[in-house]
Amino acid sequence: CVHGGLSPNIQSLDQIRTIDRKQEVPHEGAMCDLLWSDPEDIEGWGMSTRGAGYLFGGSVATAFCQTNKIEMIGRAHQLVMEGYKYMFNDKLVTVWSAPNYCYRCGNVAAILEFDEHLEKQFKVFEAAPQHARGIPAKKPPPDYFL
């Protein structure tokens, strides 16, 4: 699983493991790409309109899965109205876990669960109704957010 997607600078899981992740996210390079790249119905690689990362197509996702002997790439970076979305013959799935994103998108959200046999099950849910949310407690943010 990655936050965003793939990088043209990364072909193997071992290369991902060598990235120093205890740093500010750079504006370019493999770490940036893994965070901000998005799948798209294109061939190969394309430029992202986000200004960071790339767009990548099914051939890229399939090659990455084959090279690394994995069945699927999981990611979470893009809003999908149905909570989850498969692409590229199920070689990639986007799972979005924020219902009614920004209190205005009207989307459902999902969680992907695997059992001990690696069978997949999605739990899809809606945002809590306004009356059930209550007022958030005014607590200081945890140290790890500072």
Side-chain angles (χ1 to χ4, degrees):
C1 292
V2 291
H3 175 74
L6 300 174
S7 171
N9 299 312
I10 299 285
Q11 284 75 47
S12 74
L13 294 173
D14 286 336
Q15 289 175 296
I16 293 173
R17 290 181 188 106
T18 65
I19 295 173
D20 177 15
R21 292 177 279 166
K22 298 178 213 94
Q23 62 172 312
E24 283 288 321
V25 177
H27 295 286
E28 58 186 21
M31 184 174 175
C32 174
D33 299 342
L34 293 174
L35 287 170
W36 304 123
S37 292
D38 295 312
E40 187 64 54
D41 288 323
I42 61 171
E43 279 302 312
W45 294 97
M47 297 303 298
S48 174
T49 57
R50 291 183 188 274
Y54 291 87
L55 301 175
F56 61 94
S59 61
V60 173
T62 299
F64 188 86
C65 289
Q66 288 173 343
T67 297
N68 292 283
K69 297 178 175 69
I70 61 175
E71 292 180 25
M72 182 176 62
I73 299 163
R75 63 184 298 274
H77 172 62
Q78 278 177 301
L79 168 67
V80 286
M81 295 303 289
E82 307 83 10
Y84 67 94
K85 179 181 179 182
Y86 281 107
M87 292 181 75
F88 312 139
N89 296 316
D90 297 348
K91 290 294 181 189
L92 181 137
V93 65
T94 299
V95 182
W96 185 260
S97 61
N100 195 25
Y101 185 58
C102 294
Y103 301 102
R104 66 172 187 234
C105 290
N107 62 289
V108 296
I111 297 170
L112 173 56
E113 292 184 334
F114 292 88
D115 70 14
E116 62 273 6
H117 305 290
L118 296 181
E119 296 295 323
K120 299 177 274 302
Q121 179 182 352
F122 290 95
K123 298 207 174 185
V124 177
F125 56 96
E126 296 180 359
Q130 180 67 38
H131 71 276
R133 289 187 208 145
I135 299 171
K138 293 248 181 192
K139 294 190 267 185
D143 289 342
Y144 55 82
F145 285 125
L146 301 177

